[in-house]
Amino acid sequence: MYGFEAMTFNIHGGYLEAIVRGHRAGLLTATDYNNLCQCETLDDIKMHLSATEYGPYLQNEPSPLHTTTIVEKCTLKLVDEYKHMLCQATEPLSTFLEYITYGHMIDNVVLIVTGTLHERDVQELLEKCHPLGMFDSIATLAVAQNMRELYRLVLVDTPLAPYFSECITSEDLDDMNIEIMRNTLYKAYLEDFYKFCQKLGGATAEIMSDLLAFEADRRAVNITINSIGTELTRDDRRKLYSNFGLLYPYGHEELAVCEDIDQVRGAMEKYPPYQSIFSKLSYGESQMLDKAFYEEEVKRLCLAFEQQFHYGVFFAYMRLREQEIRNLMWISECVAQNQKSRVHDSVVFIF
Amino acid sequence: MGDRGGGCCPPMDLFRSEAMQLVQLIIPMESAHLTVSYLGDLGLIQFKDLNSDKSPFQRTYAAQIKRCGEMARKLRFFKEQMLKAGFSPSAKSLGETNIGFDDLEVKLGELEAELVEMNANGDKLQRGYNELLEYKLVLQKAGEFFTSAQRSATAQQREMESQQMGDRTLETPLLREQETATDLSKQVKLGFISGLVPREKSMAFERILFRATRGNVFLKQVPAEEPITDPVSGEKMEKNVFVVFYSGERAKNKILKICEAFGANRYPFAEDLGKQALMITEVSGRISELKTTIDAGLLQRDNLLRTIGDQFEEWNLKVKKEKSIYHTLNMLSLDVTKKCLVAEGWSPVFATKQIQEALQRAAFDSNSQVGAIFQVLHTRESPPTYFRTNKFTSAFQEIVDAYGVAKYQEANPGVYTIVTFPFLFAVMFGDWGHGICLLLATLYFIVREKKLSSQKLGDITEMTFGGRYVIMMMSLFSIYTGLVYNEFFSVPFELFGRSAYACRDLSCRDATTVGLIKVRDTYPFGVDPAWHGSRSELPFLNSLKMKMSILLGVAQMNLGIILSYFNAIFFRNSLNMIFLNSLFGYLSFLIIVKWCTGSQADLYHILIYMFLSPTDELGENQLFPGQKITQGFSSNLIFLCISFQQVLLLLALVSVPWMLLPKPFLLKRQHENRHQGQSYAPLESTDETLLSVANHDSHGHDHEEFEFSEVFVHQLIHTIEFVLGAVSNTASYLRLWALSLAHSELSVVFYEKVLLLAWGYNNIIILIVGIIVFIFATVGVLLIMETLSAFLHALRLHWVEFQNKFYEGDGYKFYPFSFALLDDEDD
């Protein structure tokens, strides 16, 4: 397979690869971020964004803006682009593109279920869902009382159904359960996606396995850190780690027994790629870990564009755009709440 | 550079771009807005962005721009509303009613608020109305299946009872029924919910209901015939009326949640028939009530929109103008004292007076104490290129600009393109029948010019319309060349007298030309019609067209070289045209001589042997005395034995190093001289230069390091390109012949194989079909496709063969700040 995708890739994928590379050129640059960080009001942000690709999406918004409007409109742009690409895609690219959205689907399911558990209004919850992860009967999730019902009523029709095999229990839903469900689903999803990419072979497999392995490892670290001090047993924790990635299997063994953040650090520093991430943090600190991981991810995603004839660019583009929207959200929030000093805390420059 | 253009040659608008100057305006703050507005009306100055390092919202007038953006948004909102309501903003302008910027903003705000409120009210009413409509539908449909169910149930019951009780039923039917009814209500408490669900979701709805209640529901659905407006989204969609029967409170809760999740609107429904009828009449009454209210609201809204529509265009223009004014103001730099703005920009020299007038007018009108200061700056930056074109020349200028915008004051091929482009096209498209067709088509555009230019056309039509004058010229020239080729849809006519040839005897219908004898004077204009259809037609026309294309090509390339000579004089550079002319000029010369003398010499032979064996005898191929033999009358002994041809060959060979060598050395010397000159610069101009240097530090210098090797290599490449280009470009002009041949042959094929063939059958239907096919083939293939291909080839000949001789095309266009251009930017 290696090296030969260049011969046939462009028959089906060439157009879309060109499209996605064109979209990538529209990502905000460091100068854009610098300008955005200097904005005084949300209107300033709107004005600056109107000179970028977000312009048409924001220009018809009446003036007292809210952060949510900005984020909503920017997400809308991403969704429009995604839909356009999905319309044009043929197999196996269309399946690949659909895989990208499953993560959002899991998040949406968890969001709705948690929301109904806390007796929020369904409509309000629906508005908070990521539009990429919507499916037809998502609102019906509110009806379900336990995992089994959840599966039997709604999820059996969705692409998430196969991932559910491990978490069908009759237990009533509670916060802990839901969180475990999210991670189990995610694990199954990542493994499935990984397998799918391996099946595609060629440069796609090579690049995607790297990106997905990073994702899996990051989730493993996050699960570990978040489960420290909870009643989650070591074996249960171990079960939530995805069965691939750089940390698999020996790193997982070590992570499973970690009791505090410094032990996690000790376990991770044995792996050179992660050593550089942890070396940026001071001991006992986990706040900045997210940002460090995001930065590393963005770096890897950008590298995916260096190679041609593979599907990794689509994944990378979607992820970069999402990161950009996160950045915009953070900047707008900081501007709206007059916390401009903290603006650089969470912004990850893409270029 | 600016003052050099006017001196040497008479003013030629199109040949050299307008002389430009960099001007500096110092405008007092209070009159800035008016000044820029007047300058925008004038449209002859291109402002430079002096604040390019600042982001948009850090600039002086960011707030105003934001306000303009907000107003533009409101106007877009109005437009959208008007389109929704179904009328377009009227194009009539009521003249300039001078409404102030601030007043306009307030007014727009008020109107928007009013409109939004009206819309909200209208939406509320509409929603209620739609709900009632849905309700009515539910009542009707659900009522239908309740009654039908009841009917079948009673029928069943009757059947059962009649089976059970036989003839006794006749006696006490009423009591029985009552009893069974009360029994039913006691036994099972079946509740039901009725409503509407979108049709595409109905399957999923049914499935989920089934799963959630483990099949313990009964769902009945009836599709509503016509699409219904959904009260929530306000969109028309197909819906199903449903009734769900369930038992138990838990099931009810679940069903309610599912209904909510699916966006199914529920409506209360009474089982009782009488109540149903009552509700239907009540609902109908309310519907008609609401309808009148909504209509009244709509009328009011339409009135409001109409008043907006009357002034919409004016406001829109006003807002656009304001926005562009503030954009321009943002490009000006603020003086230290914050009392005046400093503007820099390019303007044509001829506009100086107009600009100054505008400045004075602005100062006067804004009651400013100080007028704006206008001064010309000196700079080394190359100015933008500006050609004053009219509607006729602009299309031709665009053909040139598409290749590259001319360097400032470079010789502009656009002037010559006006004639050469249509002419070269016509050489390939020579047929006066087709030419007339094209002319008619383009005359249609030209006659309706006024009307068409104001409306939006399709992509292709727009392009054709833009090039209408080009096409007109092309068609005129094709009529001319068509007359020269003597072809009218490939049929020759004896327009200019009778053919010069006639048959030797009477029975020679398709005789060759050899069988003909010349009986009259030579045919006065164009090709003799007798050639047509003869056996030697093709060789004759080929030879004619081939030689003609070479002549045209050499002529055009010579024109290019002459232009480069003009450029060289203008920019004080140096160069040469010996090479091309010593070979191909000679060939052209030979062709003309041959035509004039009627010799039968073989030109290939002459030219090839000129290279291979320059000293051999020419024999029968000799065209004129002295071509080969010594020029005896020359007194110089050395030249005695060198023939004319050898002189030319020698010249060609010498011209190569002549092209290559002197230029780099000359440049080097110039450079050295300049450097020397610099160290002893005259003192008088120092003040000015200091000033301009101070002002234009950022403008960059073109005093680069002079590298001899680089210039030399550049010149080497240029020389090689020129020598090879001379050969290949001349060959390239043969496309004129090839396309012209293809065109005439194609039209012959269509004429003979379609029209004449159909004619030959003597059948009216076949004839009609034949004519239709002929018309379509002529229009589709010859008029459209051939026009395109000939156009493209003419374009190539201009861009590649002609313009590479002299045209740099690395300038940039002059984009003045002008209100007249605002409309074009409209999305």
Side-chain angles (χ1 to χ4, degrees), chain A residues 35 38-39 41 43-44 46-48 59-63 121 139-140 142-143 149 152-153 156-157, chain B residues 55-58 62 65-66 70 73 76 80 112 207-208 211-212 214 250 254 257-258 260-262 827:
Chain A
N35 284 335
Q38 291 166 9
C39 288
T41 61
D43 279 334
D44 286 344
K46 175 186 163 187
M47 193 161 125
H48 186 85
Q59 68 173 1
N60 279 341
E61 288 310 309
S63 203
D121 184 34
T140 335
V143 183
E149 271 190 356
R152 220 170 42 82
L153 278 182
V156 70
D157 288 336
Chain B
S55 60
F57 51 86
Q58 286 173 328
I65 289 202
K66 243 182 271 173
E70 191 62 22
R73 185 192 62 75
R76 277 197 300 273
E80 190 189 320
E112 197 206 9
R207 203 161 49 219
I208 298 279
R211 280 190 205 140
R214 296 165 201 264
R250 275 188 62 152
K254 271 189 187 166
K257 267 190 182 167
I258 291 171
E260 207 175 306
F262 275 90
D827 44 358

Side-chain angles (χ1 to χ4, degrees), chain A residues 46-111:
Chain A
K46 175 186 163 187
M47 193 161 125
H48 186 85
L49 286 182
S50 66
T52 65
E53 286 194 356
Y54 291 114
Y57 287 86
L58 282 171
Q59 68 173 1
N60 279 341
E61 288 310 309
S63 203
L65 277 173
H66 296 289
T67 318
T68 41
T69 334
I70 293 181
V71 173
E72 197 178 300
K73 292 293 160 186
C74 295
T75 316
L76 186 67
K77 176 179 149 52
L78 174 65
V79 174
D80 282 351
E81 285 167 0
Y82 172 79
K83 281 187 180 151
H84 176 76
M85 290 196 286
L86 190 63
C87 278
Q88 301 286 336
T90 51
E91 285 294 335
L93 179 55
S94 52
T95 315
F96 183 88
L97 286 175
E98 278 165 6
Y99 263 108
I100 297 176
T101 64
Y102 293 168
H104 293 295
M105 243 181 234
I106 296 172
D107 287 340
N108 284 352
V109 167
V110 171
L111 179 78

Side-chain angles (χ1 to χ4, degrees), chain B residues 195-219:
Chain B
L196 284 143
V197 66
R199 191 166 298 163
E200 70 259 32
K201 285 188 188 168
S202 64
M203 280 303 285
F205 180 62
E206 193 170 350
R207 203 161 49 219
I208 298 279
L209 274 179
F210 185 84
R211 280 190 205 140
T213 56
R214 296 165 201 264
N216 288 326
V217 285
F218 176 69
L219 176 76

Side-chain angles (χ1 to χ4, degrees), chain B residues 503-660:
Chain B
C503 277
R504 233 177 276 247
D505 46 56
L506 290 170
S507 62
C508 63
R509 284 192 67 86
D510 31 284
T512 59
T513 38
V514 182
L516 299 171
I517 48 166
K518 192 169 177 181
V519 289
R520 269 171 233 101
D521 287 341
T522 315
Y523 192 68
F525 183 83
V527 176
D528 195 309
W531 283 102
H532 188 84
S534 65
R535 206 179 296 162
S536 58
E537 180 200 7
L538 218 49
F540 169 70
L541 283 180
N542 279 353
S543 142
L544 170 76
K545 287 177 178 174
M546 217 184 318
K547 283 164 189 160
M548 193 178 64
S549 0
I550 288 185
L551 282 185
L552 292 174
V554 171
Q556 201 186 17
M557 287 193 289
N558 267 320
L559 176 64
I561 295 171
I562 292 169
L563 284 178
S564 84
Y565 173 67
F566 277 137
N567 268 347
I569 296 178
F570 192 76
F571 294 117
R572 313 258 157 97
N573 295 330
S574 55
L575 89 141
N576 150 333
M577 61 190 279
I578 301 169
F579 181 78
L580 182 86
N581 279 332
S582 59
L583 297 181
F584 297 100
Y586 177 54
L587 179 62
S588 317
F589 176 67
L590 288 182
I591 290 172
I592 292 172
V593 166
K594 181 175 169 180
W595 279 350
C596 292
T597 56
S599 154
Q600 290 195 342
D602 184 2
L603 295 184
Y604 300 114
H605 192 87
I606 299 179
L607 212 62
I608 290 169
Y609 280 92
M610 176 170 155
F611 282 100
L612 292 182
S613 48
T615 48
D616 281 2
E617 285 297 312
L618 279 173
E620 56 162 290
N621 286 330
Q622 185 165 338
L623 274 178
F624 57 94
Q627 189 181 11
K628 189 76 209 177
I629 316 164
T630 55
Q631 292 173 314
F633 45 83
S634 169
S635 57
N636 195 323
L637 269 174
I638 302 166
F639 281 120
L640 263 179
C641 56
I642 299 174
S643 72
F644 182 59
Q645 270 188 11
Q646 281 159 333
V647 172
L648 287 175
L649 192 62
L650 208 67
L651 276 177
L653 290 178
V654 166
S655 70
V656 174
W658 173 249
M659 255 192 298
L660 174 63

Side-chain angles (χ1 to χ4, degrees), chain A residues 38-295:
Chain A
Q38 291 166 9
C39 288
E40 296 291 340
T41 61
L42 288 182
D43 279 334
D44 286 344
I45 291 184
K46 175 186 163 187
M47 193 161 125
H48 186 85
L49 286 182
S50 66
T52 65
E53 286 194 356
Y54 291 114
Y57 287 86
L58 282 171
Q59 68 173 1
N60 279 341
E61 288 310 309
S63 203
L65 277 173
H66 296 289
T67 318
T68 41
T69 334
I70 293 181
V71 173
E72 197 178 300
K73 292 293 160 186
C74 295
T75 316
L76 186 67
K77 176 179 149 52
L78 174 65
V79 174
D80 282 351
E81 285 167 0
Y82 172 79
K83 281 187 180 151
H84 176 76
M85 290 196 286
L86 190 63
C87 278
Q88 301 286 336
T90 51
E91 285 294 335
L93 179 55
S94 52
T95 315
F96 183 88
L97 286 175
E98 278 165 6
Y99 263 108
I100 297 176
T101 64
Y102 293 168
H104 293 295
M105 243 181 234
I106 296 172
D107 287 340
N108 284 352
V109 167
V110 171
L111 179 78
I112 299 258
V113 173
T114 334
T116 30
L117 205 66
H118 295 285
E119 297 185 343
R120 295 282 187 80
D121 184 34
V122 181
Q123 221 53 43
E124 188 189 322
L125 289 171
L126 282 181
E127 274 165 23
K128 280 189 189 158
C129 285
H130 198 285
L132 279 181
M134 292 299 248
F135 49 93
D136 264 350
S137 44
I138 189 162
T140 335
L141 286 171
V143 183
Q145 297 293 326
N146 57 30
M147 299 270 190
R148 191 180 295 278
E149 271 190 356
L150 203 62
Y151 174 72
R152 220 170 42 82
L153 278 182
V154 190
L155 294 178
V156 70
D157 288 336
T158 66
L160 298 184
Y163 307 148
F164 234 84
S165 55
E166 273 190 48
C167 50
I168 300 177
T169 54
S170 303
E171 281 176 63
D172 273 358
L173 293 166
D174 60 36
D175 282 340
M176 182 80 172
N177 268 340
I178 293 173
E179 209 45 47
I180 290 177
M181 177 184 87
R182 182 213 294 270
N183 286 311
T184 324
L185 284 179
Y186 234 103
K187 172 193 172 179
Y189 156 62
L190 283 179
E191 280 170 8
D192 190 31
F193 197 7
Y194 184 78
K195 230 180 284 165
F196 175 73
C197 291
Q198 292 301 321
K199 207 172 75 197
L200 289 177
T204 308
E206 189 187 336
I207 285 163
M208 283 308 291
S209 66
D210 182 43
L211 293 175
L212 288 175
F214 180 76
E215 176 82 20
D217 291 345
R218 184 175 65 177
R219 291 200 74 83
V221 173
N222 280 339
I223 290 168
T224 315
I225 293 176
N226 289 335
S227 65
I228 289 172
T230 59
E231 57 212 33
L232 199 71
T233 62
R234 286 176 184 181
D235 285 345
D236 285 346
R237 192 195 281 178
R238 175 76 187 80
K239 265 189 218 152
L240 296 178
Y241 300 151
S242 307
N243 287 332
F244 65 97
L246 208 58
L247 298 177
Y248 176 78
Y250 304 112
H252 286 173
E253 300 298 340
E254 281 188 62
L255 280 181
V257 296
C258 287
E259 294 295 342
D260 57 38
I261 176 87
D262 285 333
Q263 284 179 19
V264 176
R265 192 191 179 103
M268 295 298 286
E269 276 181 345
K270 292 174 188 156
Y271 295 89
Y274 302 116
Q275 192 189 6
S276 62
I277 292 178
F278 277 87
S279 65
K280 286 182 201 157
L281 309 173
S282 53
Y283 274 90
E285 184 189 28
S286 61
Q287 253 74 39
M288 296 299 283
L289 187 63
D290 271 346
K291 193 189 175 190
F293 267 121
Y294 277 135
E295 271 170 2

